[in-house]
Amino acid sequence: MAGTRRSTRQTNSTVSKYVEDSSSSAAEQVPKRNGKKATRRKRALGQDEDEQVQDNCSTPPKKARKLESKPSKRATNTSDSPKTAPPVTPSSDSNRDVNGEQEVFWLLKAEPLPRYENGINVAFSIDDLAACTVPEPWSGVRNPQARNNMQAMRKGDLGFFYHSNAKPSGVVGILRVVEEAKVDDSAFDSKDPYFDPKSVKEKPKWYCVGVEFVKKFPHVVDLHKIKGYAQSGGPLEGMQLVTNSRLSVSRVRSEEWRFILGIAEEQDKIQSQEAQKPDQED
DNA sequence: GCCAACGTTGGC
DNA sequence: GCCAACGTTGGC
């Protein structure tokens, strides 16, 4: 389900300015390459026309297919908080502690390799995000729990960008929430690969946040490594990515966030050392 | 391409 | 409200 690119003029607000890095040190940013993303997939359905957006970013459809299975009808009127979705919101409504430090982070999955959904390539990689010049709507998510997580996101929150069904799958970088959840119009678009026929505009069921690129790690923190630290007693045991692997938008605890940043940093360090040690290693 | 995990559906 | 069947995700 899910996903499609920006469906309307989502605000084009601020993007470039955010592209510095904020926390972490793990990696430096990567030059954002343009060009590649858009290549694939032209919307087969031409639903784009009406939106004469500024799409410098031609945003390809994206993500979301993951865990979303089908929109649940019963969840429709209630708040669909199945037995699963644990409350996501942290102590306050800001996801931050008294010092303004983010306490709850996020992880958003997207598939970087071509995959067709209704004839439309829904691939979306971190490079695609890096090429965007306007906030990228994380549309197409059709799973209540993932949706709830997005609704709990606050402007300025950071999250990991995860490549799934990739080689290797893993955390590839960082993104930032620049627009809080708003109605996901792609659910009403019959041409959209993630069209949800049960959605009704009067009572929107699906929402999406707007995100922007922050940085790309020099090396993927792959799932294998993450799982290695997620075993019983491990620092990542309990990470939602592992405990509920089907969720396309999950939350990341601050300890987990820092731990993974540490891995990224470490990997970067190791590799730069090797790079500069042509033949010696003392 | 296969298969295990798990969420959703829908009858009762 | 419970539960069996079904469908989808996503790693491998």
Side-chain angles (χ1 to χ4, degrees):
Chain A
M1 19 281 4
T4 334
R5 37 332 127 317
R6 63 56 208 331
S7 45
T8 35
R9 50 334 277 346
Q10 303 294 45
T11 94
N12 23 295
S13 28
T14 35
V15 170
S16 33
K17 79 205 294 147
Y18 291 104
V19 186
E20 14 77 83
D21 160 292
S22 33
S23 45
S24 83
S25 29
E28 83 283 312
Q29 4 226 89
V30 164
K32 21 230 322 340
R33 9 171 348 6
N34 313 307
K36 88 147 339 87
K37 87 302 215 40
T39 44
R40 48 342 223 19
R41 117 314 157 185
K42 65 329 176 38
R43 359 283 324 323
L45 313 144
Q47 73 207 58
D48 274 14
E49 353 286 6
D50 51 346
E51 15 180 319
Q52 16 66 282
V53 196
Q54 56 289 350
D55 63 308
N56 320 354
C57 168
S58 68
T59 4
K62 77 212 12 21
K63 59 274 192 163
R65 97 178 255 200
K66 332 341 310 321
L67 177 263
E68 11 282 6
S69 317
K70 51 262 331 290
S72 69
K73 64 66 141 331
R74 63 180 21 171
T76 307
N77 31 329
T78 67
S79 53
D80 48 54
S81 39
K83 23 355 224 40
T84 32
V88 174
T89 33
S91 45
S92 69
D93 184 51
S94 69
N95 295 339
R96 295 179 186 259
D97 63 20
V98 292
N99 298 313
E101 296 286 308
Q102 191 174 338
E103 296 181 291
V104 176
F105 295 80
W106 312 100
L107 182 149
L108 292 75
K109 298 180 179 178
E111 295 177 83
L113 302 177
R115 192 173 64 76
Y116 293 82
E117 194 88 54
N118 291 340
I120 298 176
N121 185 355
V122 296
F124 189 77
S125 70
I126 191 165
D127 293 320
D128 293 326
L129 181 63
C132 294
T133 57
V134 296
E136 173 69 3
W138 206 260
S139 58
V141 172
R142 299 292 180 267
N143 172 276
Q145 197 175 345
R147 186 271 320 279
N148 291 345
N149 280 338
M150 281 200 288
Q151 291 184 299
M153 294 178 186
R154 291 296 172 265
K155 185 170 183 177
D157 282 0
L158 297 178
F160 285 132
F161 192 118
Y162 179 93
H163 278 174
S164 61
N165 274 323
K167 19 180 248 285
S169 289
V171 175
V172 295
I174 296 173
L175 53 70
R176 179 184 291 109
V177 174
V178 290
E179 295 175 350
E180 297 185 6
K182 56 181 181 283
V183 175
D184 180 354
D185 296 317
S186 70
F188 309 121
D189 182 353
S190 63
K191 311 288 205 333
D192 193 281
Y194 300 117
F195 169 57
D196 174 15
K198 292 178 181 169
S199 276
V200 287
K201 294 194 175 183
E202 296 67 41
K203 192 160 188 173
K205 183 164 45 169
W206 306 118
Y207 293 78
C208 61
V209 293
V211 304
E212 70 178 9
F213 173 84
V214 172
K215 75 155 61 170
K216 177 179 177 179
F217 296 147
H219 305 287
V220 179
V221 177
D222 70 79
L223 184 60
H224 281 111
K225 182 162 286 187
I226 290 173
K227 283 188 170 176
Y229 290 108
Q231 293 169 17
S232 183
L236 300 181
E237 168 187 22
M239 186 174 178
Q240 200 168 26
L241 170 69
V242 178
T243 61
N244 188 349
S245 65
R246 299 303 184 286
L247 244 201
S248 64
V249 179
S250 61
R251 58 175 296 171
V252 177
R253 300 187 180 99
S254 56
E255 317 85 76
E256 297 163 345
W257 175 265
R258 282 185 258 106
F259 191 81
I260 288 178
L261 284 182
I263 294 176
E265 204 169 316
E266 181 82 5
Q267 291 183 159
D268 183 27
K269 188 185 309 174
I270 291 176
Q271 127 97 26
S272 35
Q273 290 177 335
E274 313 218 318
Q276 58 185 134
K277 96 176 162 191
D279 45 15
Q280 50 75 42
E281 59 232 44
D282 52 310

